Amino acid sequence: MSPKTLYDKIWDAHLVHEDADGTSLIYIDRHLVHEVTSPQAFEGLRMAGRTVRAPDKTIAVPDHNVPTTEGRDNPDQMPEDSRIQVAALDTNAKEFGIHYYPVSDIRQGIVHIVGPEQGWTLPGMTVVCGDSHTATHGAFGALAHGIGTSEVEHVLATQTLIQSKSKNMKVEITGKLAPGVTAKDIVLRIIAETGTAGGTGYVIEYCGEAIRNLSMEGRMTICNMAIEGGARAGLIAPDETTFAYVKGRPHAPKGAQWEAALNWWKTLYSDDDAHWDKVLTIPGESIEPTVTWGTSPEDALPISAVVPAPDSFKGGKVAAAQRSLDYMGLQPGTPLTDIQIDTVFIGSCTNGRIEDLRAVAEVVKGKKVKDGMRAMIVPGSGLVRAQAEEEGLADIFKEAGFEWRLAGCSMCLAMNPDQLSEGERCASTSNRNFEGRQGYKGRTHLVSPAMAAAAALTGHLTDVRALMTENA
């Protein structure tokens, strides 16, 4: 038997049929659904007289277009478009008999946080959702990626997906990370090196000592942004950290089924002599706290750097960099730490988990958000919110001057009431800094939760290591 990568193994285990041209049909183990990309798909089922093929493997959660303020479980408190989409998901979930976590359920949250939290996401699975950041679930050694609305309907009807196999790419982060450096900094560094098209046509497996030392929360952050590097999906081989996280969750296997599953999960790794089509190696010790300066996730630099000049790039990137600087209102040569911030957003499927909130609390405890700053923290699920309140984190946030919101996608994308205004500059723990991503002509700098917390205290992009030194 020829050696295989982790991606090869999962693909082969789910391959239903392959045509001579490589077009394949793969089986889908979990289908996650939210309120924005599913209404047309469910309507398509109705029009064709079809049912959901595997309702027990289909999980629905409203998250993108829901308000994050108190009273939102009252439809009259929702904006009209939010109310219509959430009501449609309510109706569709009941009519088609799928698992559902409504806005009023404490288990509701961002779909990519709810799936792992509830034990729906397991190693070796294929997981799809009508959302590009489905790659998050790759942290468990699951082949997970976003799909379009027509594909959502196809999976609902057949529990299969038409695909062509991607190539294999390995990204290895060696050694140990320095204090103040997090998973978010790792993935921003990777994308800065590969560009947003560097992973196009590939599934990336992340490995190396620095990756192995990450918690499951950190691994989810890494895989979440695989799509920002152009990859079809991101994977991290499951290990004891993975198994400990999964065990005992509501929908994880139990008893003999757990033991059987564990035996298979332990085979899910890339063979030593497996073939890689592309390899990138980065020393973990070389990674610093990182921030974006432009309008693409690849526009990322260490916080110790300065805003680059367009003529420092080559080819079409020269014009792209100039456009980014014009949009962001920045001048070449400006130290990144001199960039003033109006707003801080902490949350999203990239950084809305309990570990992220603990990191923020460590930075802001006993301090105050700078006067005039708008700073909000949006937990990734109702359970994360409850845990943060039980641990006293919420009190720390509120005493510091942060808004403490209900769970949802919130200001990650300009699809709900939480938006930037024109020219407003935000330090954000989300995943995209495109033009208008967080609001019309809003300006976004992607950072880690600790870096966002530091910016909230100082009013400008700040090296969190400096605050760590002060607190020591």
Side-chain angles (χ1 to χ4, degrees):
M1 185 180 294
S2 61
K4 296 180 179 180
T5 64
L6 172 57
Y7 172 49
D8 295 335
K9 291 179 180 181
I10 300 174
W11 177 273
D12 291 349
H14 291 81
L15 184 62
V16 177
H17 176 76
E18 184 176 9
D19 286 339
D21 66 354
T23 302
S24 303
L25 192 69
I26 61 169
Y27 186 77
I28 300 302
D29 294 308
R30 288 283 186 266
H31 187 192
L32 308 174
V33 175
H34 61 82
E35 79 279 16
V36 176
T37 56
S38 66
Q40 303 93 324
F42 282 112
E43 191 58 29
L45 293 185
R46 285 193 191 88
M47 292 174 66
R50 294 191 178 104
T51 60
V52 172
R53 175 71 178 82
D56 58 319
K57 299 179 179 181
T58 310
I59 300 94
V61 192
D63 60 0
H64 279 57
N65 203 0
V66 297
T68 59
T69 48
E70 297 288 348
R72 67 177 186 183
D73 50 348
N74 178 355
D76 294 337
Q77 300 298 313
M78 284 193 182
E80 184 68 2
D81 55 348
S82 300
R83 185 190 63 76
I84 291 171
Q85 287 186 335
V86 171
L89 189 62
D90 287 354
T91 298
N92 290 328
K94 292 170 185 172
E95 180 178 334
F96 290 94
I98 63 179
H99 296 281
Y100 185 49
Y101 301 102
V103 170
S104 58
D105 193 318
I106 193 173
R107 297 169 297 176
Q108 178 271 343
I110 305 171
V111 66
H112 307 310
I113 289 179
V114 172
E117 205 169 56
Q118 294 300 316
W120 291 116
T121 306
L122 302 174
M125 281 187 160
T126 48
V127 181
V128 296
C129 176
D131 180 89
S132 57
H133 293 101
T134 309
T136 306
H137 307 267
F140 292 81
L143 177 57
H145 53 79
I147 55 177
T149 297
S150 61
E151 292 174 310
V152 171
E153 183 179 347
H154 190 279
V155 175
L156 288 173
T158 69
Q159 207 58 28
T160 63
L161 184 66
I162 298 170
Q163 288 280 281
S164 292
K165 193 179 181 189
S166 301
K167 293 182 288 185
N168 282 286
M169 179 174 175
K170 177 168 75 169
V171 174
E172 183 176 11
I173 312 298
T174 62
K176 293 180 168 60
L177 301 177
V181 178
T182 69
K184 185 65 162 288
D185 303 304
I186 293 175
V187 74
L188 287 174
R189 167 69 179 274
I190 292 168
I191 298 167
E193 292 216 8
T194 65
T196 51
T200 302
Y202 297 91
V203 165
I204 298 176
E205 181 175 341
Y206 302 96
C207 61
E209 183 183 0
I211 298 295
R212 284 286 174 218
N213 287 340
L214 292 174
S215 64
M216 287 310 299
E217 288 87 349
R219 296 179 190 189
M220 283 186 263
T221 294
I222 297 282
C223 289
N224 173 273
M225 291 188 67
I227 185 68
E228 311 307 342
R232 182 60 171 153
L235 287 168
I236 296 173
D239 58 12
E240 293 302 323
T241 299
T242 320
F243 309 147
Y245 181 97
V246 170
K247 190 172 185 178
R249 294 192 177 268
H251 296 281
K254 306 290 191 299
Q257 287 186 332
W258 171 263
E259 295 304 323
L262 197 59
N263 287 336
W264 184 56
W265 295 345
K266 288 180 178 180
T267 71
L268 296 175
Y269 55 84
S270 291
D271 298 328
D272 289 339
D273 46 359
H275 171 73
W276 300 98
D277 299 290
K278 190 174 185 178
V279 176
L280 172 66
T281 302
I282 299 174
E285 298 89 344
S286 71
I287 302 173
E288 296 182 49
T290 303
V291 59
T292 59
W293 54 268
T295 56
S296 169
E298 70 182 37
D299 298 336
L301 286 169
I303 186 63
S304 57
V306 300
V307 175
D311 59 13
S312 66
F313 298 95
K314 296 179 180 178
K317 185 64 179 174
V318 175
Q322 185 61 63
R323 176 184 170 91
S324 288
L325 294 181
D326 291 343
Y327 181 87
M328 295 295 289
L330 297 175
Q331 293 298 319
T334 304
L336 294 176
T337 51
D338 284 356
I339 297 174
Q340 299 297 306
I341 295 296
D342 306 304
T343 297
V344 166
F345 167 66
I346 296 168
S348 85
C349 61
T350 312
N351 286 121
R353 299 173 182 83
I354 190 65
E355 178 183 281
D356 302 310
L357 303 191
R358 289 172 182 153
V360 173
E362 190 174 335
V363 174
V364 306
K365 186 174 184 179
K367 298 181 174 66
K368 295 291 184 183
V369 170
K370 187 174 177 62
D371 287 347
M373 287 282 293
R374 175 188 181 195
M376 66 168 66
I377 298 178
V378 185
S381 74
L383 291 176
V384 169
R385 188 175 196 267
Q387 186 173 353
E389 291 176 345
E390 288 168 9
E391 293 183 10
L393 306 182
D395 291 334
I396 292 172
F397 301 148
K398 288 184 280 190
E399 287 168 10
F402 284 91
E403 296 178 44
W404 178 236
R405 298 295 193 96
L406 300 177
C409 292
S410 186
M411 199 186 278
C412 176
L413 74 173
M415 192 178 282
N416 51 66
D418 301 344
Q419 298 182 19
L420 295 179
S421 58
E422 184 173 342
E424 192 174 358
R425 190 181 299 277
C426 180
S428 175
T429 67
S430 54
N431 39 56
R432 288 183 175 164
N433 53 334
F434 302 155
E435 293 184 17
R437 169 70 175 181
Q438 293 191 286
Y440 178 68
K441 292 191 175 181
R443 294 164 169 166
T444 300
H445 296 273
L446 302 179
V447 292
S448 72
M451 289 281 283
L457 299 179
T458 64
H460 58 85
L461 293 180
T462 299
D463 189 337
V464 69
R465 294 172 298 185
L467 295 186
M468 291 169 60
T469 301
E470 290 176 11
N471 293 342

